[in-house]
mmCIF file of all heavy atoms in Angstrom:
data_model
loop_
_atom_site.group_PDB
_atom_site.id
_atom_site.type_symbol
_atom_site.label_atom_id
_atom_site.label_comp_id
_atom_site.label_asym_id
_atom_site.label_seq_id
_atom_site.Cartn_x
_atom_site.Cartn_y
_atom_site.Cartn_z
ATOM 1 N N LYS A 1 -56.161 76.570 27.711
ATOM 2 C CA LYS A 1 -56.464 76.643 26.287
ATOM 3 C C LYS A 1 -55.651 75.655 25.457
ATOM 4 O O LYS A 1 -56.034 75.295 24.372
ATOM 5 C CB LYS A 1 -56.180 78.053 25.759
ATOM 6 C CG LYS A 1 -56.887 79.156 26.529
ATOM 7 C CD LYS A 1 -58.367 79.122 26.331
ATOM 8 C CE LYS A 1 -59.024 80.327 26.986
ATOM 9 N NZ LYS A 1 -60.475 80.276 26.943
ATOM 10 N N VAL A 2 -54.470 75.297 25.973
ATOM 11 C CA VAL A 2 -53.579 74.462 25.175
ATOM 12 C C VAL A 2 -53.231 73.182 25.920
ATOM 13 O O VAL A 2 -52.297 72.484 25.581
ATOM 14 C CB VAL A 2 -52.299 75.243 24.812
ATOM 15 C CG1 VAL A 2 -51.444 74.519 23.788
ATOM 16 C CG2 VAL A 2 -52.666 76.616 24.248
ATOM 17 N N SER A 3 -53.960 72.906 27.011
ATOM 18 C CA SER A 3 -53.891 71.678 27.796
ATOM 19 C C SER A 3 -52.784 71.659 28.837
ATOM 20 O O SER A 3 -52.814 70.842 29.733
ATOM 21 C CB SER A 3 -53.748 70.428 26.908
ATOM 22 O OG SER A 3 -52.402 70.224 26.545
ATOM 23 N N ASP A 4 -51.814 72.543 28.770
ATOM 24 C CA ASP A 4 -50.733 72.511 29.746
ATOM 25 C C ASP A 4 -50.999 73.605 30.786
ATOM 26 O O ASP A 4 -50.689 74.760 30.577
ATOM 27 C CB ASP A 4 -49.376 72.721 29.075
ATOM 28 C CG ASP A 4 -48.265 72.028 29.830
ATOM 29 O OD1 ASP A 4 -48.486 71.588 30.963
ATOM 30 O OD2 ASP A 4 -47.168 71.934 29.270
ATOM 31 N N LEU A 5 -51.572 73.238 31.910
ATOM 32 C CA LEU A 5 -52.190 74.189 32.818
ATOM 33 C C LEU A 5 -51.255 75.292 33.271
ATOM 34 O O LEU A 5 -51.534 76.471 33.126
ATOM 35 C CB LEU A 5 -52.747 73.439 34.041
ATOM 36 C CG LEU A 5 -53.759 72.333 33.730
ATOM 37 C CD1 LEU A 5 -54.251 71.704 35.022
ATOM 38 C CD2 LEU A 5 -54.925 72.865 32.951
ATOM 39 N N TYR A 6 -50.132 74.930 33.853
ATOM 40 C CA TYR A 6 -49.248 75.958 34.375
ATOM 41 C C TYR A 6 -48.599 76.767 33.264
ATOM 42 O O TYR A 6 -48.341 77.947 33.428
ATOM 43 C CB TYR A 6 -48.166 75.334 35.254
ATOM 44 C CG TYR A 6 -48.470 75.490 36.715
ATOM 45 C CD1 TYR A 6 -48.958 74.432 37.452
ATOM 46 C CD2 TYR A 6 -48.285 76.713 37.358
ATOM 47 C CE1 TYR A 6 -49.246 74.582 38.793
ATOM 48 C CE2 TYR A 6 -48.572 76.862 38.698
ATOM 49 C CZ TYR A 6 -49.048 75.790 39.424
ATOM 50 O OH TYR A 6 -49.345 75.926 40.738
ATOM 51 N N ILE A 7 -48.337 76.138 32.149
ATOM 52 C CA ILE A 7 -47.727 76.877 31.042
ATOM 53 C C ILE A 7 -48.680 77.968 30.584
ATOM 54 O O ILE A 7 -48.302 79.125 30.428
ATOM 55 C CB ILE A 7 -47.400 75.929 29.876
ATOM 56 C CG1 ILE A 7 -46.342 74.920 30.300
ATOM 57 C CG2 ILE A 7 -46.890 76.718 28.677
ATOM 58 C CD1 ILE A 7 -46.108 73.847 29.289
ATOM 59 N N ASP A 8 -49.941 77.623 30.385
ATOM 60 C CA ASP A 8 -50.913 78.622 29.966
ATOM 61 C C ASP A 8 -51.045 79.714 31.015
ATOM 62 O O ASP A 8 -51.129 80.892 30.705
ATOM 63 C CB ASP A 8 -52.275 77.970 29.746
ATOM 64 C CG ASP A 8 -52.364 77.289 28.398
ATOM 65 O OD1 ASP A 8 -51.429 77.465 27.598
ATOM 66 O OD2 ASP A 8 -53.339 76.585 28.148
ATOM 67 N N CYS A 9 -51.085 79.309 32.279
ATOM 68 C CA CYS A 9 -51.304 80.269 33.356
ATOM 69 C C CYS A 9 -50.177 81.268 33.463
ATOM 70 O O CYS A 9 -50.410 82.465 33.527
ATOM 71 C CB CYS A 9 -51.459 79.509 34.675
ATOM 72 S SG CYS A 9 -51.668 80.568 36.100
ATOM 73 N N HIS A 10 -48.952 80.799 33.460
ATOM 74 C CA HIS A 10 -47.832 81.674 33.770
ATOM 75 C C HIS A 10 -47.085 82.203 32.551
ATOM 76 O O HIS A 10 -46.338 83.169 32.666
ATOM 77 C CB HIS A 10 -46.864 80.956 34.704
ATOM 78 C CG HIS A 10 -47.475 80.661 36.035
ATOM 79 N ND1 HIS A 10 -47.949 81.648 36.868
ATOM 80 C CD2 HIS A 10 -47.714 79.499 36.659
ATOM 81 C CE1 HIS A 10 -48.441 81.108 37.965
ATOM 82 N NE2 HIS A 10 -48.323 79.805 37.856
ATOM 83 N N PHE A 11 -47.286 81.592 31.384
ATOM 84 C CA PHE A 11 -46.611 82.091 30.201
ATOM 85 C C PHE A 11 -47.505 83.017 29.394
ATOM 86 O O PHE A 11 -47.059 83.651 28.469
ATOM 87 C CB PHE A 11 -46.162 80.929 29.295
ATOM 88 C CG PHE A 11 -44.985 80.174 29.846
ATOM 89 C CD1 PHE A 11 -44.398 80.508 31.043
ATOM 90 C CD2 PHE A 11 -44.461 79.109 29.137
ATOM 91 C CE1 PHE A 11 -43.320 79.802 31.536
ATOM 92 C CE2 PHE A 11 -43.380 78.400 29.615
ATOM 93 C CZ PHE A 11 -42.813 78.743 30.829
ATOM 94 N N LYS A 12 -48.784 83.102 29.738
ATOM 95 C CA LYS A 12 -49.693 83.942 28.985
ATOM 96 C C LYS A 12 -50.280 85.042 29.856
ATOM 97 O O LYS A 12 -51.320 85.600 29.557
ATOM 98 C CB LYS A 12 -50.805 83.071 28.377
ATOM 99 C CG LYS A 12 -50.275 82.090 27.333
ATOM 100 C CD LYS A 12 -51.260 81.020 26.967
ATOM 101 C CE LYS A 12 -52.434 81.518 26.208
ATOM 102 N NZ LYS A 12 -53.344 80.428 25.813
ATOM 103 N N VAL A 13 -49.607 85.344 30.963
ATOM 104 C CA VAL A 13 -50.143 86.347 31.884
ATOM 105 C C VAL A 13 -50.170 87.740 31.264
ATOM 106 O O VAL A 13 -50.769 88.640 31.837
ATOM 107 C CB VAL A 13 -49.335 86.397 33.199
ATOM 108 C CG1 VAL A 13 -49.508 85.119 33.966
ATOM 109 C CG2 VAL A 13 -47.864 86.669 32.921
ATOM 110 N N GLU A 14 -49.515 87.947 30.110
ATOM 111 C CA GLU A 14 -49.578 89.251 29.468
ATOM 112 C C GLU A 14 -51.004 89.569 29.020
ATOM 113 O O GLU A 14 -51.368 90.714 28.867
ATOM 114 C CB GLU A 14 -48.639 89.297 28.260
ATOM 115 C CG GLU A 14 -47.161 89.311 28.613
ATOM 116 C CD GLU A 14 -46.647 87.958 29.028
ATOM 117 O OE1 GLU A 14 -47.363 86.963 28.852
ATOM 118 O OE2 GLU A 14 -45.521 87.897 29.556
ATOM 119 N N TRP A 15 -51.815 88.549 28.801
ATOM 120 C CA TRP A 15 -53.182 88.759 28.360
ATOM 121 C C TRP A 15 -54.059 89.025 29.572
ATOM 122 O O TRP A 15 -53.986 88.340 30.581
ATOM 123 C CB TRP A 15 -53.677 87.527 27.595
ATOM 124 C CG TRP A 15 -52.884 87.301 26.349
ATOM 125 C CD1 TRP A 15 -52.259 88.238 25.583
ATOM 126 C CD2 TRP A 15 -52.595 86.042 25.745
ATOM 127 N NE1 TRP A 15 -51.622 87.652 24.533
ATOM 128 C CE2 TRP A 15 -51.805 86.310 24.600
ATOM 129 C CE3 TRP A 15 -52.943 84.728 26.038
ATOM 130 C CZ2 TRP A 15 -51.359 85.315 23.760
ATOM 131 C CZ3 TRP A 15 -52.497 83.729 25.214
ATOM 132 C CH2 TRP A 15 -51.719 84.024 24.078
ATOM 133 N N LYS A 16 -54.933 90.019 29.472
ATOM 134 C CA LYS A 16 -55.699 90.511 30.615
ATOM 135 C C LYS A 16 -56.502 89.401 31.291
ATOM 136 O O LYS A 16 -56.557 89.315 32.518
ATOM 137 C CB LYS A 16 -56.639 91.619 30.166
ATOM 138 C CG LYS A 16 -57.379 92.316 31.298
ATOM 139 C CD LYS A 16 -58.140 93.514 30.748
ATOM 140 C CE LYS A 16 -58.813 94.293 31.888
ATOM 141 N NZ LYS A 16 -59.864 93.502 32.534
ATOM 142 N N GLU A 17 -57.137 88.529 30.500
ATOM 143 C CA GLU A 17 -57.977 87.503 31.107
ATOM 144 C C GLU A 17 -57.170 86.538 31.966
ATOM 145 O O GLU A 17 -57.655 86.033 32.969
ATOM 146 C CB GLU A 17 -58.776 86.732 30.042
ATOM 147 C CG GLU A 17 -57.944 85.998 28.998
ATOM 148 C CD GLU A 17 -57.700 86.846 27.763
ATOM 149 O OE1 GLU A 17 -57.630 88.083 27.893
ATOM 150 O OE2 GLU A 17 -57.575 86.252 26.676
ATOM 151 N N GLN A 18 -55.913 86.276 31.567
ATOM 152 C CA GLN A 18 -55.083 85.404 32.393
ATOM 153 C C GLN A 18 -54.644 86.111 33.674
ATOM 154 O O GLN A 18 -54.572 85.506 34.731
ATOM 155 C CB GLN A 18 -53.870 84.907 31.611
ATOM 156 C CG GLN A 18 -54.158 83.668 30.772
ATOM 157 C CD GLN A 18 -54.624 84.043 29.397
ATOM 158 O OE1 GLN A 18 -54.259 85.086 28.889
ATOM 159 N NE2 GLN A 18 -55.409 83.194 28.777
ATOM 160 N N GLU A 19 -54.349 87.385 33.574
ATOM 161 C CA GLU A 19 -53.941 88.142 34.757
ATOM 162 C C GLU A 19 -55.056 88.148 35.793
ATOM 163 O O GLU A 19 -54.809 88.048 37.000
ATOM 164 C CB GLU A 19 -53.564 89.570 34.361
ATOM 165 C CG GLU A 19 -52.273 89.661 33.562
ATOM 166 C CD GLU A 19 -51.940 91.087 33.153
ATOM 167 O OE1 GLU A 19 -52.871 91.903 33.031
ATOM 168 O OE2 GLU A 19 -50.754 91.379 32.976
ATOM 169 N N GLU A 20 -56.284 88.258 35.329
ATOM 170 C CA GLU A 20 -57.407 88.264 36.244
ATOM 171 C C GLU A 20 -57.624 86.902 36.893
ATOM 172 O O GLU A 20 -58.257 86.810 37.953
ATOM 173 C CB GLU A 20 -58.669 88.705 35.491
ATOM 174 C CG GLU A 20 -58.611 90.165 35.033
ATOM 175 C CD GLU A 20 -59.783 90.542 34.160
ATOM 176 O OE1 GLU A 20 -60.496 89.624 33.700
ATOM 177 O OE2 GLU A 20 -59.985 91.747 33.935
ATOM 178 N N ALA A 21 -57.114 85.848 36.268
ATOM 179 C CA ALA A 21 -57.309 84.501 36.808
ATOM 180 C C ALA A 21 -56.302 84.149 37.896
ATOM 181 O O ALA A 21 -56.538 83.233 38.681
ATOM 182 C CB ALA A 21 -57.211 83.476 35.677
ATOM 183 N N ILE A 22 -55.177 84.867 37.975
ATOM 184 C CA ILE A 22 -54.119 84.527 38.921
ATOM 185 C C ILE A 22 -54.611 84.479 40.369
ATOM 186 O O ILE A 22 -54.252 83.565 41.118
ATOM 187 C CB ILE A 22 -52.924 85.488 38.781
ATOM 188 C CG1 ILE A 22 -52.294 85.341 37.403
ATOM 189 C CG2 ILE A 22 -51.886 85.242 39.861
ATOM 190 C CD1 ILE A 22 -51.738 83.976 37.102
ATOM 191 N N PRO A 23 -55.448 85.436 40.844
ATOM 192 C CA PRO A 23 -55.917 85.354 42.232
ATOM 193 C C PRO A 23 -56.619 84.036 42.552
ATOM 194 O O PRO A 23 -56.479 83.510 43.658
ATOM 195 C CB PRO A 23 -56.875 86.546 42.346
ATOM 196 C CG PRO A 23 -56.365 87.523 41.349
ATOM 197 C CD PRO A 23 -55.886 86.690 40.197
ATOM 198 N N GLN A 24 -57.369 83.490 41.594
ATOM 199 C CA GLN A 24 -58.029 82.213 41.834
ATOM 200 C C GLN A 24 -57.014 81.081 41.957
ATOM 201 O O GLN A 24 -57.177 80.159 42.759
ATOM 202 C CB GLN A 24 -59.017 81.896 40.708
ATOM 203 C CG GLN A 24 -59.821 80.619 40.940
ATOM 204 C CD GLN A 24 -60.632 80.676 42.208
ATOM 205 O OE1 GLN A 24 -61.436 81.587 42.398
ATOM 206 N NE2 GLN A 24 -60.431 79.708 43.108
ATOM 207 N N VAL A 25 -55.946 81.162 41.171
ATOM 208 C CA VAL A 25 -54.874 80.167 41.287
ATOM 209 C C VAL A 25 -54.282 80.209 42.694
ATOM 210 O O VAL A 25 -54.067 79.176 43.330
ATOM 211 C CB VAL A 25 -53.769 80.429 40.237
ATOM 212 C CG1 VAL A 25 -52.627 79.450 40.415
ATOM 213 C CG2 VAL A 25 -54.340 80.332 38.836
ATOM 214 N N MET A 26 -54.013 81.416 43.196
ATOM 215 C CA MET A 26 -53.443 81.565 44.533
ATOM 216 C C MET A 26 -54.390 81.029 45.598
ATOM 217 O O MET A 26 -53.966 80.410 46.575
ATOM 218 C CB MET A 26 -53.115 83.039 44.808
ATOM 219 C CG MET A 26 -52.042 83.639 43.909
ATOM 220 S SD MET A 26 -50.428 82.805 44.048
ATOM 221 C CE MET A 26 -50.407 81.837 42.522
ATOM 222 N N GLU A 27 -55.688 81.261 45.407
ATOM 223 C CA GLU A 27 -56.682 80.749 46.356
ATOM 224 C C GLU A 27 -56.665 79.226 46.385
ATOM 225 O O GLU A 27 -56.736 78.594 47.447
ATOM 226 C CB GLU A 27 -58.075 81.251 45.975
ATOM 227 C CG GLU A 27 -59.172 80.905 46.975
ATOM 228 C CD GLU A 27 -59.015 81.611 48.315
ATOM 229 O OE1 GLU A 27 -58.331 82.665 48.368
ATOM 230 O OE2 GLU A 27 -59.575 81.111 49.308
ATOM 231 N N ASN A 28 -56.547 78.615 45.213
ATOM 232 C CA ASN A 28 -56.495 77.157 45.140
ATOM 233 C C ASN A 28 -55.234 76.607 45.801
ATOM 234 O O ASN A 28 -55.267 75.557 46.449
ATOM 235 C CB ASN A 28 -56.585 76.704 43.686
ATOM 236 C CG ASN A 28 -57.964 76.938 43.095
ATOM 237 O OD1 ASN A 28 -58.961 76.993 43.811
ATOM 238 N ND2 ASN A 28 -58.024 77.089 41.782
ATOM 239 N N LEU A 29 -54.121 77.322 45.653
ATOM 240 C CA LEU A 29 -52.896 76.895 46.313
ATOM 241 C C LEU A 29 -53.027 76.957 47.835
ATOM 242 O O LEU A 29 -52.438 76.141 48.550
ATOM 243 C CB LEU A 29 -51.714 77.750 45.848
ATOM 244 C CG LEU A 29 -51.211 77.494 44.426
ATOM 245 C CD1 LEU A 29 -50.109 78.484 44.069
ATOM 246 C CD2 LEU A 29 -50.710 76.063 44.264
ATOM 247 N N LYS A 30 -53.816 77.903 48.320
ATOM 248 C CA LYS A 30 -54.047 77.984 49.771
ATOM 249 C C LYS A 30 -54.768 76.736 50.276
ATOM 250 O O LYS A 30 -54.473 76.226 51.361
ATOM 251 C CB LYS A 30 -54.866 79.232 50.107
ATOM 252 C CG LYS A 30 -54.105 80.536 49.976
ATOM 253 C CD LYS A 30 -55.011 81.723 50.316
ATOM 254 C CE LYS A 30 -54.290 83.048 50.109
ATOM 255 N NZ LYS A 30 -55.181 84.208 50.364
ATOM 256 N N TYR A 31 -55.736 76.244 49.501
ATOM 257 C CA TYR A 31 -56.427 75.014 49.879
ATOM 258 C C TYR A 31 -55.444 73.849 49.991
ATOM 259 O O TYR A 31 -55.518 73.018 50.912
ATOM 260 C CB TYR A 31 -57.501 74.661 48.841
ATOM 261 C CG TYR A 31 -58.691 75.587 48.813
ATOM 262 C CD1 TYR A 31 -59.177 76.074 47.596
ATOM 263 C CD2 TYR A 31 -59.352 75.966 49.975
ATOM 264 C CE1 TYR A 31 -60.271 76.917 47.547
ATOM 265 C CE2 TYR A 31 -60.446 76.814 49.938
ATOM 266 C CZ TYR A 31 -60.903 77.283 48.725
ATOM 267 O OH TYR A 31 -61.984 78.115 48.676
ATOM 268 N N ILE A 32 -54.530 73.791 49.023
ATOM 269 C CA ILE A 32 -53.534 72.715 49.024
ATOM 270 C C ILE A 32 -52.588 72.860 50.209
ATOM 271 O O ILE A 32 -52.240 71.874 50.870
ATOM 272 C CB ILE A 32 -52.764 72.716 47.685
ATOM 273 C CG1 ILE A 32 -53.728 72.427 46.530
ATOM 274 C CG2 ILE A 32 -51.644 71.692 47.708
ATOM 275 C CD1 ILE A 32 -53.154 72.677 45.166
ATOM 276 N N GLU A 33 -52.188 74.088 50.495
ATOM 277 C CA GLU A 33 -51.314 74.356 51.635
ATOM 278 C C GLU A 33 -51.920 73.821 52.930
ATOM 279 O O GLU A 33 -51.215 73.245 53.772
ATOM 280 C CB GLU A 33 -51.080 75.876 51.748
ATOM 281 C CG GLU A 33 -50.374 76.337 52.997
ATOM 282 C CD GLU A 33 -48.872 76.487 52.832
ATOM 283 O OE1 GLU A 33 -48.346 76.131 51.755
ATOM 284 O OE2 GLU A 33 -48.223 76.936 53.785
ATOM 285 N N GLU A 34 -53.225 73.978 53.090
ATOM 286 C CA GLU A 34 -53.910 73.534 54.309
ATOM 287 C C GLU A 34 -53.767 72.030 54.531
ATOM 288 O O GLU A 34 -53.752 71.564 55.675
ATOM 289 C CB GLU A 34 -55.396 73.894 54.217
ATOM 290 C CG GLU A 34 -55.707 75.361 54.387
ATOM 291 C CD GLU A 34 -55.515 75.822 55.820
ATOM 292 O OE1 GLU A 34 -55.942 75.108 56.743
ATOM 293 O OE2 GLU A 34 -54.917 76.900 56.024
ATOM 294 N N GLN A 35 -53.650 71.282 53.454
ATOM 295 C CA GLN A 35 -53.584 69.821 53.570
ATOM 296 C C GLN A 35 -52.257 69.335 54.148
ATOM 297 O O GLN A 35 -52.145 68.171 54.527
ATOM 298 C CB GLN A 35 -53.825 69.172 52.197
ATOM 299 C CG GLN A 35 -55.111 69.593 51.525
ATOM 300 C CD GLN A 35 -56.296 69.518 52.456
ATOM 301 O OE1 GLN A 35 -56.571 68.468 53.045
ATOM 302 N NE2 GLN A 35 -57.002 70.628 52.611
ATOM 303 N N LEU A 36 -51.286 70.223 54.220
ATOM 304 C CA LEU A 36 -49.961 69.830 54.706
ATOM 305 C C LEU A 36 -49.744 70.162 56.182
ATOM 306 O O LEU A 36 -48.686 69.861 56.724
ATOM 307 C CB LEU A 36 -48.879 70.510 53.865
ATOM 308 C CG LEU A 36 -48.700 69.936 52.461
ATOM 309 C CD1 LEU A 36 -47.937 70.906 51.578
ATOM 310 C CD2 LEU A 36 -47.994 68.588 52.516
ATOM 311 N N LYS A 37 -50.731 70.728 56.828
ATOM 312 C CA LYS A 37 -50.562 71.094 58.235
ATOM 313 C C LYS A 37 -50.259 69.858 59.083
ATOM 314 O O LYS A 37 -51.004 68.887 59.087
ATOM 315 C CB LYS A 37 -51.823 71.797 58.760
ATOM 316 C CG LYS A 37 -51.938 73.248 58.314
ATOM 317 C CD LYS A 37 -53.084 73.948 59.003
ATOM 318 C CE LYS A 37 -53.096 75.434 58.649
ATOM 319 N NZ LYS A 37 -54.249 76.143 59.267
ATOM 320 N N GLY A 38 -49.126 69.915 59.784
ATOM 321 C CA GLY A 38 -48.736 68.821 60.657
ATOM 322 C C GLY A 38 -48.106 67.635 59.968
ATOM 323 O O GLY A 38 -47.789 66.633 60.609
ATOM 324 N N ASN A 39 -47.914 67.729 58.641
ATOM 325 C CA ASN A 39 -47.379 66.601 57.886
ATOM 326 C C ASN A 39 -46.149 66.985 57.068
ATOM 327 O O ASN A 39 -46.060 68.112 56.571
ATOM 328 C CB ASN A 39 -48.430 66.042 56.916
ATOM 329 C CG ASN A 39 -49.563 65.350 57.621
ATOM 330 O OD1 ASN A 39 -49.367 64.691 58.638
ATOM 331 N ND2 ASN A 39 -50.764 65.511 57.092
ATOM 332 N N LYS A 40 -45.250 66.039 56.923
ATOM 333 C CA LYS A 40 -44.100 66.226 56.042
ATOM 334 C C LYS A 40 -44.528 66.073 54.589
ATOM 335 O O LYS A 40 -44.104 66.833 53.714
ATOM 336 C CB LYS A 40 -43.010 65.213 56.387
ATOM 337 C CG LYS A 40 -41.744 65.337 55.565
ATOM 338 C CD LYS A 40 -40.697 64.327 56.029
ATOM 339 C CE LYS A 40 -39.399 64.447 55.230
ATOM 340 N NZ LYS A 40 -38.388 63.457 55.699
ATOM 341 N N PHE A 41 -45.370 65.050 54.345
ATOM 342 C CA PHE A 41 -45.941 64.804 53.028
ATOM 343 C C PHE A 41 -47.462 64.835 53.167
ATOM 344 O O PHE A 41 -47.991 64.897 54.275
ATOM 345 C CB PHE A 41 -45.463 63.471 52.460
ATOM 346 C CG PHE A 41 -43.974 63.404 52.251
ATOM 347 C CD1 PHE A 41 -43.166 62.665 53.107
ATOM 348 C CD2 PHE A 41 -43.374 64.095 51.212
ATOM 349 C CE1 PHE A 41 -41.795 62.617 52.921
ATOM 350 C CE2 PHE A 41 -42.000 64.049 51.020
ATOM 351 C CZ PHE A 41 -41.208 63.312 51.880
ATOM 352 N N PHE A 42 -48.169 64.765 52.053
ATOM 353 C CA PHE A 42 -49.623 64.890 52.112
ATOM 354 C C PHE A 42 -50.272 63.775 52.926
ATOM 355 O O PHE A 42 -51.290 64.003 53.579
ATOM 356 C CB PHE A 42 -50.212 64.920 50.698
ATOM 357 C CG PHE A 42 -50.032 66.240 50.012
ATOM 358 C CD1 PHE A 42 -48.980 66.446 49.131
ATOM 359 C CD2 PHE A 42 -50.902 67.286 50.250
ATOM 360 C CE1 PHE A 42 -48.798 67.668 48.498
ATOM 361 C CE2 PHE A 42 -50.738 68.518 49.624
ATOM 362 C CZ PHE A 42 -49.681 68.714 48.747
ATOM 363 N N GLY A 43 -49.671 62.581 52.867
ATOM 364 C CA GLY A 43 -50.250 61.468 53.608
ATOM 365 C C GLY A 43 -49.601 61.200 54.948
ATOM 366 O O GLY A 43 -49.977 60.253 55.634
ATOM 367 N N GLY A 44 -48.615 62.008 55.330
ATOM 368 C CA GLY A 44 -47.933 61.770 56.602
ATOM 369 C C GLY A 44 -46.427 61.880 56.460
ATOM 370 O O GLY A 44 -45.906 62.886 55.993
ATOM 371 N N GLU A 45 -45.730 60.824 56.804
ATOM 372 C CA GLU A 45 -44.267 60.854 56.833
ATOM 373 C C GLU A 45 -43.617 60.228 55.609
ATOM 374 O O GLU A 45 -42.391 60.245 55.489
ATOM 375 C CB GLU A 45 -43.757 60.151 58.105
ATOM 376 C CG GLU A 45 -44.065 60.917 59.382
ATOM 377 C CD GLU A 45 -43.436 62.311 59.376
ATOM 378 O OE1 GLU A 45 -42.212 62.414 59.168
ATOM 379 O OE2 GLU A 45 -44.183 63.296 59.576
ATOM 380 N N THR A 46 -44.395 59.637 54.734
ATOM 381 C CA THR A 46 -43.831 59.023 53.526
ATOM 382 C C THR A 46 -44.591 59.500 52.291
ATOM 383 O O THR A 46 -45.757 59.903 52.368
ATOM 384 C CB THR A 46 -43.901 57.476 53.587
ATOM 385 O OG1 THR A 46 -45.269 57.076 53.765
ATOM 386 C CG2 THR A 46 -43.057 56.942 54.743
#
């Protein structure tokens, strides 16, 4: 709502609609986690 993604997500969790959105955030982080399998960094070793 205010352009700063994580700030809105984690500083406004008192509001019900934001609380309901947290599971989707966690799901998206899982996708990112998968990209690091076998690698130190996202592209490899550097």
Side-chain angles (χ1 to χ4, degrees):
K1 306 292 186 186
V2 190
S3 83
D4 209 348
L5 303 181
Y6 259 103
I7 295 172
D8 279 352
C9 178
H10 295 300
F11 287 0
K12 294 166 69 177
V13 293
E14 289 77 11
W15 297 331
K16 186 173 184 294
E17 60 267 31
Q18 275 90 29
E19 290 179 334
E20 293 173 346
I22 296 298
Q24 184 59 56
V25 177
M26 296 299 104
E27 186 67 22
N28 290 335
L29 287 176
K30 288 179 183 177
Y31 290 133
I32 297 168
E33 171 95 355
E34 287 289 316
Q35 305 312 305
L36 286 163
K37 283 188 174 178
N39 290 324
K40 182 177 181 180
F41 298 106
F42 283 97
E45 291 300 306
T46 58

